[in-house]
mmCIF file of all heavy atoms in Angstrom:
data_model
loop_
_atom_site.group_PDB
_atom_site.id
_atom_site.type_symbol
_atom_site.label_atom_id
_atom_site.label_comp_id
_atom_site.label_asym_id
_atom_site.label_seq_id
_atom_site.Cartn_x
_atom_site.Cartn_y
_atom_site.Cartn_z
ATOM 1 N N ILE I 1463 36.358 12.575 -10.189
ATOM 2 C CA ILE I 1463 36.053 12.708 -8.769
ATOM 3 C C ILE I 1463 36.267 11.325 -8.118
ATOM 4 O O ILE I 1463 35.445 10.423 -8.287
ATOM 5 C CB ILE I 1463 34.610 13.166 -8.515
ATOM 6 C CG1 ILE I 1463 34.358 14.520 -9.169
ATOM 7 C CG2 ILE I 1463 34.307 13.263 -7.020
ATOM 8 C CD1 ILE I 1463 33.395 14.483 -10.286
ATOM 9 N N PRO I 1464 37.367 11.159 -7.413
ATOM 10 C CA PRO I 1464 37.592 9.868 -6.767
ATOM 11 C C PRO I 1464 36.755 9.769 -5.484
ATOM 12 O O PRO I 1464 36.779 10.707 -4.664
ATOM 13 C CB PRO I 1464 39.082 9.859 -6.400
ATOM 14 C CG PRO I 1464 39.686 11.066 -7.095
ATOM 15 C CD PRO I 1464 38.577 12.021 -7.300
ATOM 16 N N THR I 1465 36.034 8.680 -5.287
ATOM 17 C CA THR I 1465 35.232 8.470 -4.074
ATOM 18 C C THR I 1465 35.296 7.006 -3.636
ATOM 19 O O THR I 1465 35.755 6.177 -4.403
ATOM 20 C CB THR I 1465 33.724 8.818 -4.275
ATOM 21 O OG1 THR I 1465 33.071 7.680 -4.864
ATOM 22 C CG2 THR I 1465 33.493 10.030 -5.126
ATOM 23 N N MET I 1466 34.807 6.818 -2.429
ATOM 24 C CA MET I 1466 34.655 5.422 -1.960
ATOM 25 C C MET I 1466 33.166 5.043 -1.896
ATOM 26 O O MET I 1466 32.800 4.070 -1.228
ATOM 27 C CB MET I 1466 35.308 5.251 -0.578
ATOM 28 C CG MET I 1466 36.821 5.497 -0.644
ATOM 29 S SD MET I 1466 37.774 4.723 0.669
ATOM 30 C CE MET I 1466 37.063 5.459 2.099
ATOM 31 N N GLY I 1467 32.341 5.812 -2.557
ATOM 32 C CA GLY I 1467 30.912 5.477 -2.641
ATOM 33 C C GLY I 1467 30.169 5.910 -1.403
ATOM 34 O O GLY I 1467 30.642 6.756 -0.622
ATOM 35 N N HIS I 1470 26.946 11.158 -0.859
ATOM 36 C CA HIS I 1470 26.071 12.117 -0.203
ATOM 37 C C HIS I 1470 26.266 13.506 -0.834
ATOM 38 O O HIS I 1470 27.046 13.631 -1.793
ATOM 39 C CB HIS I 1470 26.357 12.131 1.321
ATOM 40 C CG HIS I 1470 27.804 12.281 1.640
ATOM 41 N ND1 HIS I 1470 28.515 13.439 1.391
ATOM 42 C CD2 HIS I 1470 28.704 11.405 2.198
ATOM 43 C CE1 HIS I 1470 29.768 13.291 1.785
ATOM 44 N NE2 HIS I 1470 29.911 12.059 2.261
ATOM 45 N N GLY I 1472 27.993 15.956 -0.058
ATOM 46 C CA GLY I 1472 29.413 16.380 -0.156
ATOM 47 C C GLY I 1472 29.994 15.945 -1.475
ATOM 48 O O GLY I 1472 30.588 16.731 -2.216
ATOM 49 N N HIS I 1473 29.799 14.657 -1.824
ATOM 50 C CA HIS I 1473 30.289 14.146 -3.100
ATOM 51 C C HIS I 1473 29.565 14.875 -4.254
ATOM 52 O O HIS I 1473 30.203 15.203 -5.249
ATOM 53 C CB HIS I 1473 29.975 12.660 -3.223
ATOM 54 C CG HIS I 1473 30.643 11.799 -2.177
ATOM 55 N ND1 HIS I 1473 29.939 11.150 -1.197
ATOM 56 C CD2 HIS I 1473 31.943 11.474 -1.971
ATOM 57 C CE1 HIS I 1473 30.761 10.455 -0.439
ATOM 58 N NE2 HIS I 1473 31.979 10.629 -0.875
ATOM 59 N N SER I 1475 28.472 17.803 -4.460
ATOM 60 C CA SER I 1475 28.950 19.166 -4.715
ATOM 61 C C SER I 1475 30.218 19.108 -5.593
ATOM 62 O O SER I 1475 30.435 19.983 -6.446
ATOM 63 C CB SER I 1475 29.221 19.889 -3.399
ATOM 64 O OG SER I 1475 30.392 19.354 -2.772
ATOM 65 N N LEU I 1476 31.044 18.086 -5.386
ATOM 66 C CA LEU I 1476 32.228 17.931 -6.239
ATOM 67 C C LEU I 1476 31.808 17.617 -7.672
ATOM 68 O O LEU I 1476 32.405 18.125 -8.626
ATOM 69 C CB LEU I 1476 33.096 16.767 -5.688
ATOM 70 C CG LEU I 1476 34.161 17.074 -4.641
ATOM 71 C CD1 LEU I 1476 33.631 17.797 -3.434
ATOM 72 C CD2 LEU I 1476 34.861 15.794 -4.182
ATOM 73 N N GLN I 1497 44.205 1.956 2.061
ATOM 74 C CA GLN I 1497 44.189 3.127 2.961
ATOM 75 C C GLN I 1497 43.525 2.826 4.320
ATOM 76 O O GLN I 1497 43.340 3.744 5.109
ATOM 77 C CB GLN I 1497 43.567 4.336 2.269
ATOM 78 C CG GLN I 1497 42.061 4.267 2.067
ATOM 79 C CD GLN I 1497 41.605 5.383 1.167
ATOM 80 O OE1 GLN I 1497 41.917 5.458 -0.012
ATOM 81 N NE2 GLN I 1497 40.837 6.328 1.729
ATOM 82 N N TYR I 1507 32.625 -0.887 5.621
ATOM 83 C CA TYR I 1507 32.411 0.396 4.984
ATOM 84 C C TYR I 1507 31.119 0.344 4.149
ATOM 85 O O TYR I 1507 30.904 -0.609 3.397
ATOM 86 C CB TYR I 1507 33.609 0.773 4.108
ATOM 87 C CG TYR I 1507 33.651 2.245 3.758
ATOM 88 C CD1 TYR I 1507 34.171 3.156 4.671
ATOM 89 C CD2 TYR I 1507 33.070 2.722 2.600
ATOM 90 C CE1 TYR I 1507 34.171 4.518 4.405
ATOM 91 C CE2 TYR I 1507 33.083 4.084 2.298
ATOM 92 C CZ TYR I 1507 33.610 4.979 3.196
ATOM 93 O OH TYR I 1507 33.595 6.318 2.945
ATOM 94 N N TYR I 1581 38.881 16.503 -8.611
ATOM 95 C CA TYR I 1581 38.161 17.206 -7.573
ATOM 96 C C TYR I 1581 38.245 16.538 -6.222
ATOM 97 O O TYR I 1581 38.015 15.324 -6.120
ATOM 98 C CB TYR I 1581 36.692 17.381 -7.991
ATOM 99 C CG TYR I 1581 36.547 18.205 -9.247
ATOM 100 C CD1 TYR I 1581 36.768 17.627 -10.484
ATOM 101 C CD2 TYR I 1581 36.304 19.555 -9.195
ATOM 102 C CE1 TYR I 1581 36.704 18.374 -11.656
ATOM 103 C CE2 TYR I 1581 36.221 20.336 -10.344
ATOM 104 C CZ TYR I 1581 36.430 19.723 -11.563
ATOM 105 O OH TYR I 1581 36.358 20.480 -12.709
ATOM 106 N N PHE I 1582 38.530 17.333 -5.179
ATOM 107 C CA PHE I 1582 38.616 16.804 -3.824
ATOM 108 C C PHE I 1582 37.884 17.775 -2.874
ATOM 109 O O PHE I 1582 37.795 18.980 -3.143
ATOM 110 C CB PHE I 1582 40.088 16.720 -3.394
ATOM 111 C CG PHE I 1582 40.890 15.714 -4.204
ATOM 112 C CD1 PHE I 1582 41.502 16.088 -5.379
ATOM 113 C CD2 PHE I 1582 40.965 14.379 -3.804
ATOM 114 C CE1 PHE I 1582 42.211 15.171 -6.136
ATOM 115 C CE2 PHE I 1582 41.656 13.470 -4.538
ATOM 116 C CZ PHE I 1582 42.302 13.843 -5.728
ATOM 117 N N GLY I 1583 37.426 17.194 -1.745
ATOM 118 C CA GLY I 1583 36.723 18.028 -0.754
ATOM 119 C C GLY I 1583 37.689 18.556 0.308
ATOM 120 O O GLY I 1583 38.583 17.827 0.738
ATOM 121 N N ARG I 1584 37.454 19.796 0.739
ATOM 122 C CA ARG I 1584 38.332 20.381 1.758
ATOM 123 C C ARG I 1584 38.109 19.721 3.114
ATOM 124 O O ARG I 1584 38.863 19.980 4.041
ATOM 125 C CB ARG I 1584 38.045 21.875 1.892
ATOM 126 C CG ARG I 1584 38.647 22.648 0.765
ATOM 127 C CD ARG I 1584 38.351 24.145 0.903
ATOM 128 N NE ARG I 1584 38.270 24.730 -0.413
ATOM 129 C CZ ARG I 1584 37.506 25.752 -0.726
ATOM 130 N NH1 ARG I 1584 36.768 26.323 0.183
ATOM 131 N NH2 ARG I 1584 37.504 26.208 -1.962
ATOM 132 N N LYS I 1585 37.077 18.895 3.216
ATOM 133 C CA LYS I 1585 36.879 18.182 4.487
ATOM 134 C C LYS I 1585 38.128 17.371 4.806
ATOM 135 O O LYS I 1585 38.532 17.234 5.942
ATOM 136 C CB LYS I 1585 35.671 17.271 4.373
ATOM 137 C CG LYS I 1585 35.556 16.395 5.576
ATOM 138 C CD LYS I 1585 34.174 15.825 5.693
ATOM 139 C CE LYS I 1585 34.162 14.779 6.788
ATOM 140 N NZ LYS I 1585 34.876 13.551 6.309
ATOM 141 N N ASP I 1586 38.767 16.825 3.763
ATOM 142 C CA ASP I 1586 39.986 16.032 3.944
ATOM 143 C C ASP I 1586 41.175 16.923 3.606
ATOM 144 O O ASP I 1586 41.795 16.756 2.565
ATOM 145 C CB ASP I 1586 39.928 14.774 3.084
ATOM 146 C CG ASP I 1586 38.788 13.882 3.459
ATOM 147 O OD1 ASP I 1586 38.953 13.072 4.381
ATOM 148 O OD2 ASP I 1586 37.689 14.025 2.886
ATOM 149 N N GLN I 1589 44.650 15.433 3.133
ATOM 150 C CA GLN I 1589 44.675 14.652 1.891
ATOM 151 C C GLN I 1589 44.919 15.577 0.681
ATOM 152 O O GLN I 1589 45.739 15.251 -0.191
ATOM 153 C CB GLN I 1589 43.328 13.946 1.746
ATOM 154 C CG GLN I 1589 43.103 13.300 0.391
ATOM 155 C CD GLN I 1589 41.822 12.443 0.420
ATOM 156 O OE1 GLN I 1589 41.808 11.380 1.023
ATOM 157 N NE2 GLN I 1589 40.768 12.899 -0.206
ATOM 158 N N CYS I 1609 37.100 21.758 -3.141
ATOM 159 C CA CYS I 1609 35.719 22.236 -3.010
ATOM 160 C C CYS I 1609 35.363 22.365 -1.536
ATOM 161 O O CYS I 1609 35.851 21.597 -0.681
ATOM 162 C CB CYS I 1609 34.767 21.237 -3.671
ATOM 163 S SG CYS I 1609 35.135 20.999 -5.428
ATOM 164 N N PRO I 1610 34.458 23.326 -1.221
ATOM 165 C CA PRO I 1610 34.106 23.603 0.200
ATOM 166 C C PRO I 1610 33.473 22.386 0.896
ATOM 167 O O PRO I 1610 32.916 21.481 0.249
ATOM 168 C CB PRO I 1610 33.066 24.709 0.097
ATOM 169 C CG PRO I 1610 33.166 25.257 -1.261
ATOM 170 C CD PRO I 1610 33.742 24.194 -2.145
ATOM 171 N N ILE I 1611 33.565 22.412 2.221
ATOM 172 C CA ILE I 1611 32.961 21.352 3.055
ATOM 173 C C ILE I 1611 31.435 21.518 3.014
ATOM 174 O O ILE I 1611 30.924 22.613 3.228
ATOM 175 C CB ILE I 1611 33.434 21.458 4.529
ATOM 176 C CG1 ILE I 1611 34.953 21.324 4.596
ATOM 177 C CG2 ILE I 1611 32.743 20.399 5.380
ATOM 178 C CD1 ILE I 1611 35.545 21.541 5.990
ATOM 179 N N VAL I 1612 30.738 20.432 2.743
ATOM 180 C CA VAL I 1612 29.265 20.457 2.789
ATOM 181 C C VAL I 1612 28.821 19.883 4.139
ATOM 182 O O VAL I 1612 29.325 18.837 4.551
ATOM 183 C CB VAL I 1612 28.662 19.648 1.640
ATOM 184 C CG1 VAL I 1612 27.146 19.624 1.712
ATOM 185 C CG2 VAL I 1612 29.105 20.244 0.289
ATOM 186 N N ARG I 1613 27.904 20.605 4.790
ATOM 187 C CA ARG I 1613 27.484 20.232 6.169
ATOM 188 C C ARG I 1613 26.022 19.916 6.234
ATOM 189 O O ARG I 1613 25.215 20.410 5.417
ATOM 190 C CB ARG I 1613 27.841 21.384 7.097
ATOM 191 C CG ARG I 1613 29.298 21.712 7.161
ATOM 192 C CD ARG I 1613 29.628 22.870 8.076
ATOM 193 N NE ARG I 1613 31.084 23.042 8.124
ATOM 194 C CZ ARG I 1613 31.912 22.299 8.844
ATOM 195 N NH1 ARG I 1613 31.405 21.367 9.644
ATOM 196 N NH2 ARG I 1613 33.209 22.482 8.779
ATOM 197 N N ALA I 1619 29.806 17.935 9.461
ATOM 198 C CA ALA I 1619 30.300 17.743 8.112
ATOM 199 C C ALA I 1619 29.790 16.409 7.581
ATOM 200 O O ALA I 1619 29.837 15.396 8.283
ATOM 201 C CB ALA I 1619 31.833 17.733 8.123
ATOM 202 N N MET I 1620 29.280 16.436 6.349
ATOM 203 C CA MET I 1620 28.751 15.187 5.774
ATOM 204 C C MET I 1620 29.876 14.183 5.595
ATOM 205 O O MET I 1620 31.004 14.544 5.237
ATOM 206 C CB MET I 1620 28.093 15.477 4.448
ATOM 207 C CG MET I 1620 26.809 16.241 4.625
ATOM 208 S SD MET I 1620 25.813 16.175 3.129
ATOM 209 C CE MET I 1620 24.378 17.024 3.718
ATOM 210 N N SER I 1621 29.541 12.938 5.860
ATOM 211 C CA SER I 1621 30.550 11.866 5.734
ATOM 212 C C SER I 1621 29.806 10.556 5.619
ATOM 213 O O SER I 1621 28.769 10.352 6.258
ATOM 214 C CB SER I 1621 31.455 11.831 6.973
ATOM 215 O OG SER I 1621 32.134 10.605 7.038
ATOM 216 N N SER I 1622 30.345 9.659 4.801
ATOM 217 C CA SER I 1622 29.735 8.336 4.685
ATOM 218 C C SER I 1622 29.751 7.637 6.051
ATOM 219 O O SER I 1622 28.895 6.800 6.347
ATOM 220 C CB SER I 1622 30.521 7.482 3.686
ATOM 221 O OG SER I 1622 30.673 8.187 2.480
HETATM 222 P P1 AMP M 2865 35.311 9.663 0.283
HETATM 223 O O1 AMP M 2865 34.261 8.928 -0.502
HETATM 224 O O2 AMP M 2865 34.991 9.815 1.711
HETATM 225 O O3 AMP M 2865 36.697 9.102 0.021
HETATM 226 O O4 AMP M 2865 35.336 11.129 -0.303
HETATM 227 C C1 AMP M 2865 35.504 11.382 -1.677
HETATM 228 C C2 AMP M 2865 35.712 12.841 -1.846
HETATM 229 O O5 AMP M 2865 34.587 13.581 -1.383
HETATM 230 C C3 AMP M 2865 36.944 13.392 -1.097
HETATM 231 O O6 AMP M 2865 37.630 14.327 -1.892
HETATM 232 C C4 AMP M 2865 36.318 14.048 0.104
HETATM 233 O O7 AMP M 2865 37.078 15.106 0.640
HETATM 234 C C5 AMP M 2865 35.020 14.591 -0.492
HETATM 235 N N1 AMP M 2865 34.041 14.799 0.572
HETATM 236 C C6 AMP M 2865 33.623 13.905 1.486
HETATM 237 N N2 AMP M 2865 32.758 14.501 2.352
HETATM 238 C C7 AMP M 2865 32.687 15.790 1.994
HETATM 239 C C8 AMP M 2865 31.944 16.921 2.459
HETATM 240 N N3 AMP M 2865 31.182 16.847 3.538
HETATM 241 N N4 AMP M 2865 32.091 18.089 1.806
HETATM 242 C C9 AMP M 2865 32.894 18.203 0.736
HETATM 243 N N5 AMP M 2865 33.603 17.172 0.210
HETATM 244 C C10 AMP M 2865 33.497 15.991 0.834
#
Side-chain angles (χ1 to χ4, degrees):
I1463 300 114
T1465 82
M1466 297 204 299
H1470 50 67
H1473 300 111
S1475 72
L1476 271 53
Q1497 71 190 68
Y1507 197 83
Y1581 297 80
F1582 295 88
R1584 284 180 210 149
K1585 172 162 171 288
D1586 297 275
Q1589 170 171 287
C1609 301
I1611 300 174
V1612 177
R1613 299 178 177 281
M1620 289 195 176
S1621 163
S1622 308

